[in-house]
Amino acid sequence: MDTRAVVVIGLGPMGQAMAGAFLDQGYRVTVWNRTASRAEALVTRGAVLAGTVDEALRAAEVVILSLTDYDAMYAVLGPAERSLEGRVVVNLTSDTPERAREAAAWFTERGARQLTGGVRTPPSGIGDPEFSTFYSGPRELFEAHRPLLEVLTGTDYRGEDPGLAALFYQLQMDMFWTSMLSWLHAVAVADAHGITAEELLPYAEETLGGMPQFLNFYTPRIDAREHPGDVDRLTMGVASVEHVAHTTRAAGVDTALPAAVAEIFRRGAAQGYGDSSFTSLLEVFRAAAAAPAPAG
């Protein structure tokens, strides 16, 4: 098949940015979306709008999926599964590692092969090699199509397991959404005191900008499962988080977020980690993961 041809299924902001990046690099792009009007600007630039999913799948060997989740993927591709044979499906749809593995098996049963992807940029970063996308799946498949993938972003291959790209992506989202939510919470407390987000911004940047030095300091200790209380102690952390919760309550702002953090800190202290570093909370998380699920 034509190595300069590609199919993009799903034309949300990310899918549109991807299709546009391929057009910019001279690829022959076929697109499909439930709402065909989303393809109008791309068609004006030279993309071909497929009338059906079957038609789209037959247009090129490589198919880029950019859908909401894997339920949407099965809903779109299920009725056209006979047209999947021989296709390389670059599945950039977000979902869990387990579902990525299940999808890889599903494609294999239909004569297709999947590369799982996790895009680490908003649509505005598509086409910029400074950003990257996690990939996992067959190594030879990744290497064979790396030039095409690098039209979108830089690439970060994580291994043969099709679930690894999804796992690394969700780990990033775990940190991203928790950090962004904490910022919004701080903005809400600041606002209750007449302080704007703009006034808070330089201090938020300073706090978050200093995180890498903490990560670098604690990471070797964490990997060694050592949590000495020589730099910080969990009991100090409990008091600090409770102060945040009290400040939040006094401001009339929702306390759910600091209350949840305080509960985890107190649980660690109750389990005997009070004189250890706050990183000992990792053992609390691990113990929770290893505990048997409640019956019924």
Side-chain angles (χ1 to χ4, degrees):
M1 282 195 173
D2 188 348
T3 59
R4 297 286 295 178
V6 65
V7 174
V8 178
I9 292 180
L11 296 179
M14 185 65 78
Q16 291 189 35
M18 291 176 178
F22 285 122
L23 288 169
D24 288 342
Q25 295 300 315
Y27 279 75
R28 286 167 284 284
V29 180
T30 300
V31 297
W32 182 89
N33 194 72
R34 286 188 187 276
T35 305
S37 60
R38 289 188 179 178
E40 289 176 356
L42 294 167
V43 170
T44 299
R45 294 175 58 189
V48 174
L49 174 62
T52 66
V53 177
D54 282 290
E55 181 185 334
L57 292 174
R58 291 194 295 267
E61 178 188 8
V62 179
V63 178
I64 308 290
L65 293 184
S66 179
L67 299 166
T68 305
D69 54 28
Y70 280 22
D71 286 340
M73 178 195 76
Y74 289 122
V76 168
L77 297 184
E81 61 181 39
R82 291 185 178 180
S83 298
L84 285 169
E85 186 170 358
R87 299 300 176 266
V88 174
V89 179
V90 181
N91 197 347
L92 303 179
T93 301
S94 174
D95 217 306
T96 68
E98 292 78 9
R99 297 203 77 190
R101 296 181 185 109
E102 292 168 0
W106 186 84
F107 282 115
T108 298
E109 291 167 0
R110 287 152 183 81
R113 304 179 77 190
Q114 172 179 284
L115 275 175
T116 310
V119 184
R120 301 177 63 196
T121 176
S124 59
I126 294 298
D128 186 342
E130 293 298 314
F131 295 98
S132 68
T133 298
F134 294 123
Y135 290 101
S136 65
R139 179 84 195 212
E140 75 279 6
L141 204 61
F142 168 75
E143 294 294 348
H145 296 286
R146 180 185 282 190
L148 180 147
L149 301 176
E150 290 180 343
V151 169
L152 302 178
T153 66
T155 58
D156 186 344
Y157 180 74
R158 294 285 84 204
E160 295 272 343
D161 178 351
L164 282 174
L167 174 60
F168 273 87
Y169 177 78
Q170 297 306 341
L171 294 174
Q172 299 288 303
M173 290 300 97
D174 186 354
M175 292 182 280
F176 175 79
W177 288 122
T178 304
S179 299
M180 293 301 287
L181 187 59
S182 71
W183 171 64
L184 288 181
H185 188 270
V187 168
V189 176
D191 180 68
H193 292 275
I195 299 169
T196 66
E198 184 175 1
E199 289 178 88
L200 182 62
L201 178 60
Y203 304 102
E205 289 179 327
E206 181 180 337
T207 298
L208 295 177
M211 288 300 175
Q213 66 183 2
F214 288 102
L215 298 180
N216 280 281
F217 174 79
Y218 285 114
T219 289
R221 295 180 173 209
I222 287 171
D223 280 343
R225 299 192 77 151
E226 297 174 352
H227 310 289
D230 57 337
V231 175
D232 71 284
R233 287 183 292 118
L234 186 59
T235 51
M236 296 169 57
V238 171
S240 178
V241 175
E242 286 180 344
H243 296 158
V244 174
H246 295 156
T247 301
T248 298
R249 188 176 300 109
V253 173
D254 191 313
T255 61
L257 182 59
V261 176
E263 192 276 330
I264 295 169
F265 273 61
R266 291 191 202 101
R267 200 186 329 156
Q271 292 180 22
Y273 295 112
D275 290 331
S276 301
S277 168
F278 89 101
T279 60
S280 61
L281 293 175
L282 184 58
E283 307 304 331
V284 176
F285 291 142
R286 284 171 170 150

